[in-house]
Amino acid sequence: MSTTSTTGTTAVARAPEARAGSGHTRAYLLYVAGKLGGAAISLLAVLVTSFFLFRIIPGDPVKAMTHGTPTSAEQLATLRRQFGLDQPMWQQFTDYCAKALTGDLGTSYQFRAPVGELIAQKVPATLLLTGAAVVIYSAIGLWLGTRSAWRHGSLGDKVSTGVALTLWSVPSFWLGLLLIITFSVGIGPIPGLFPTGGMESGDETGFAYITDVAHHMVLPVVTLVAVGYAQTLLVMRSSLLDEMGSDYLTTARAKGLRDDTVRRRHAVPNALLPTVTMVFINLGHVAAGSILVETVFSWPGLGGLFYAALSVPDLPLVQGLFVVFAGAMIVMNLLADLLYPLLDPRVGR
């Protein structure tokens, strides 16, 4: 009799816990569904924006492509018909959306090749450059931001914050040009140590090729890191300062925990949410690359391709790159939103 009573009591006690667990799961699934729906709507908005935004750019793509070449009016009309530019705007828009939803981003005017293939060719160079830079400056920003906040008001905090604010305000292309003048061309007693641009010398193989690419990466990566780490540092510092006066930190110290342990195990995890958003946005920039830095250093990535497309304007290529850039940001923000409830269970309830 007592065994039956105990079993029944245990089952009754576990019932609210099971209902609470299922409630949390249902809330999280609804949260995920809402975020996925928002991301899908954002992608559709990107498709619409990418079509109309670049059609307000002044210039005639056909005339730009035939610049310097004697071309008759009939030949211009043939080219416009070939690229579909003679169709009504609404028909161009519906054709663009229908193809884009199937993965067909069109054919480049100037390269006469599928936009998807051109983007795929440039993606590895961009991922290599901006991926390395994002990993480096995110790590540096998180570390320095944590130390600056934990010792706020100290000389180290003032110096690191001042340097970060200064570098954050520096245009990346200007800093890149300064580095080229100083360390590529050479100035005064400083000799030219690094290539002025490009990704490789073109005559290396094997391990020598790897070191050659790394040699070409130094200045553009330094440029991206110098400008990029400041934002992560300042966001992490501000977020951690907001947590500094919390009661749970006072309780942790009262229990006799070391200051480093309080910072590492309690303060930093609770201050990570804004910084996680920043890190995922930076990861979205990996796909977008850096148009200015890639152009200054003649890096053969998506940024340089976007600059070349704008100069025509090559509408299918510009539109395709815009969709890839914006899509990468949307996907990274979606992943950050889905990660939030795992870092803070209060999110999504």
Side-chain angles (χ1 to χ4, degrees):
M1 180 68 180
S2 60
T3 302
T4 304
S5 176
T6 302
T7 303
T9 303
T10 303
V12 171
R14 289 177 178 174
E17 296 179 4
R19 286 196 297 270
S22 62
H24 294 162
T25 301
R26 185 166 55 252
Y28 180 70
L29 291 177
L30 290 174
Y31 173 81
V32 171
K35 294 300 179 181
L36 289 174
I41 294 173
S42 298
L43 286 173
L44 290 175
V46 165
L47 284 178
V48 176
T49 303
S50 66
F51 179 83
F52 291 104
L53 176 64
F54 298 107
R55 274 164 174 73
I56 64 176
I57 299 176
D60 186 340
V62 173
K63 289 184 177 180
M65 285 186 292
T66 58
H67 178 70
T69 303
T71 309
S72 65
E74 291 78 9
Q75 289 174 320
L76 292 176
T78 300
L79 286 174
R80 288 193 177 92
R81 185 167 57 255
Q82 178 182 347
F83 294 127
L85 295 175
D86 61 330
Q87 299 175 353
M89 187 67 68
W90 66 267
Q91 188 172 350
Q92 293 183 44
F93 175 67
T94 54
D95 290 346
Y96 165 71
C97 289
K99 291 180 179 179
L101 291 175
T102 61
D104 183 1
L105 298 176
T107 301
S108 168
Y109 293 163
Q110 57 182 324
F111 297 106
R112 306 295 178 90
V115 170
E117 292 183 6
L118 293 172
I119 293 175
Q121 291 171 5
K122 301 294 184 179
V123 163
T126 289
L127 293 181
L128 178 63
L129 178 65
T130 56
V134 165
V135 170
I136 293 172
Y137 71 62
S138 295
I140 293 175
L142 287 170
W143 182 68
L144 289 179
T146 300
R147 294 182 66 84
S148 293
W150 204 249
R151 296 176 174 82
H152 66 282
S154 65
L155 178 61
D157 174 37
K158 294 177 181 178
V159 170
S160 64
T161 304
V163 171
L165 287 171
T166 301
L167 291 175
W168 197 12
S169 62
V170 172
S172 58
F173 71 91
W174 182 77
L175 179 59
L177 290 173
L178 284 183
L179 292 177
I180 290 175
I181 293 172
T182 305
F183 297 105
S184 293
V185 178
I187 182 172
I190 303 176
L193 301 174
F194 300 98
T196 56
M199 181 178 172
E200 58 187 55
S201 300
D203 55 355
E204 304 289 350
T205 58
F207 183 74
Y209 172 78
I210 296 175
T211 56
D212 181 50
V213 172
H215 191 215
H216 283 76
M217 286 178 60
V218 171
L219 292 186
V221 166
V222 168
T223 302
L224 291 172
V225 169
V227 176
Y229 92 95
Q231 192 173 18
T232 306
L233 181 152
L234 294 173
V235 170
M236 185 63 193
R237 180 181 183 275
S238 176
S239 181
L240 188 54
L241 283 175
D242 290 340
E243 298 289 332
M244 294 284 284
S246 300
D247 293 337
Y248 70 89
L249 296 182
T250 304
T251 303
R253 291 190 181 96
K255 291 180 178 180
L257 296 179
R258 295 173 53 192
D259 197 54
D260 287 343
T261 304
V262 173
R263 181 187 71 234
R264 187 174 62 255
R265 294 185 180 179
H266 298 277
V268 171
N270 286 283
L272 275 178
L273 285 184
T275 311
V276 166
T277 302
M278 183 62 58
V279 170
F280 274 89
I281 289 176
N282 291 338
L283 290 175
H285 289 157
V286 171
S290 176
I291 297 173
L292 295 177
V293 172
E294 289 190 11
T295 302
V296 167
F297 288 97
S298 302
W299 190 263
L302 294 178
L305 185 64
F306 189 74
Y307 177 80
L310 278 176
S311 62
V312 173
D314 188 339
L315 294 179
L317 185 53
V318 170
Q319 290 168 179
L321 287 167
F322 182 81
V323 169
V324 170
F325 295 166
M329 297 299 298
I330 292 172
V331 170
M332 288 300 108
N333 275 299
L334 174 63
L335 292 178
D337 288 337
L338 298 182
L339 183 62
Y340 280 170
L342 303 180
L343 297 176
D344 187 348
R346 295 171 296 179
V347 176
R349 291 186 180 179

